Amino acid sequence: MGPTQKPNVCRQLSRRALGFFSRDAGVVQRTNLGILRVLVCQESTKFKNVWTTHSKSPIAYERGRIYFDNYRCCVSSVASEPRKLYEMPKCSKSEKIEDALLWECPVGEILPNPSDYKSSLIALTAHNWLFRISATTGKVLEKIYLASYCKFRYLSWDTPQEVIAVKSAQNKCSALARQIFGNVTDATLSHGILIVMYSSGLVRLYSFQAIIEQFMQQKLDLGCACRWGGTAGTVGEAPFGIPCNIKITDSPPLLFEVSSLENAFQIGGHPWHYIITPNRKKQKGVFHICALKDNSLAKNGIQEMECCSLESDWIYFHPDASGRIIHVGPNQVKVLKLNEVENNSAQHQISEDFVILANREKNKNENLLTVTASGRVVKKKFNLLDDDPEQETFKIVDYEDELDLLSVVAVTQIDAEGKAHLDFHCNEYGTLLKSIPLEESWDVTYSHEVYFDRDLVLHIEQKPSRVFSCYVYQMFADKCQANYDQQC
């Protein structure tokens, strides 16, 4: 028998239209994304700048929506050219949106209103209101008054798409709080774990559920009548708000603690491991990967890029849930894997899965000419920094989960301006599949964000004096290649 014929894009689309995958919605979705991945990465596909705009307020992007004017104006980026979805009425400075999250996950329970099943923007205002806003019309569907006893400023997911954590600006701790937790510099809540950080570099983890069970004074339900501290009101309505119903009077059980430079601490991998930098300034850029169960250092668990650069390298657990680790430096991206040590299942080791290298001249150096007092010209050689702007340097590395692609932004200074390109790499092997040049210049002194979302590339740039720019690129295919190949 001859080699198996590769699937054809047109044939795949025809089979989908005829309902060949109708029994399993997941198969349809995977087939669609597989087709899209091929179209994105094929040589004839181009990404063209279809829209550019500028703003004096921050620009945010989330799942096909671009937000302007502190989330008051929403533009859809899904169409061939971005179009305005809605613009909310102007508001005072005290009513502006401070932070927001997009909630769009379907839930497994019956909800009272049809609009409850559609995507919503969860928005925190400057005057401590929490709004649920329709993501398509801008209509306020629900609102909750939080409290007046502190200034709330930040939103984050405790459990993604299920539980929201609302965090205040830092307040001066009471004597009792300092006695229990010490001088805290920051705290956050993630996956049911309260993470507390200190200026010394110490990081402590507590079970939030255990704190609730031990120290909750009274259970509160939104929209229900409540009496608290001699005052009666409705929970979540002004001016009553949501009383602080947890009073910690003793040190809660400590789950874990570790000391790390600048409180840098991450958990991930299979089985659980954590990444820290030893808490000494000279150790900056050195990362230790340790087992969470016993704090033992993994074999080859000290990772350090021998690079000389102005900007530090960074490391994090791969967001694809593979348990791998991504380590990014100015001229290379290492994807590391965590495996059991042979003949010792209790210990794990770090090894390279693949490496992406910047396109550079090997052993490049510069000549420095100096003239001595006698007039003799002396030529000295010196090596360039690893993040020298005249060499290709990696600035951003991200992961597109639906297409299973790593996106890497590389920048090179050409004459007076920097030019950037966005590269797509196979997430499994690191193979370069596609490179997209960005038309606008890239100033390395500005702040940049780049998003790759299916067939869209979006670049947000912050210039001096709080001037923000947004560049939108859409996918265009000149020709349709016949072969439906997974590319790698």
Side-chain angles (χ1 to χ4, degrees), residues 445-448 460-464 466-469:
T445 64
Y446 297 170
S447 174
H448 299 267
I460 298 174
E461 172 185 64
Q462 180 180 350
K463 300 176 182 178
R466 289 183 63 82
V467 175
F468 299 83
S469 298

Side-chain angles (χ1 to χ4, degrees), residues 315-334:
I315 193 169
Y316 57 99
F317 285 101
H318 200 312
D320 70 351
S322 64
R324 295 181 296 174
I325 296 167
I326 297 178
H327 189 182
V328 185
N331 60 349
Q332 60 180 314
V333 177
K334 289 185 178 181

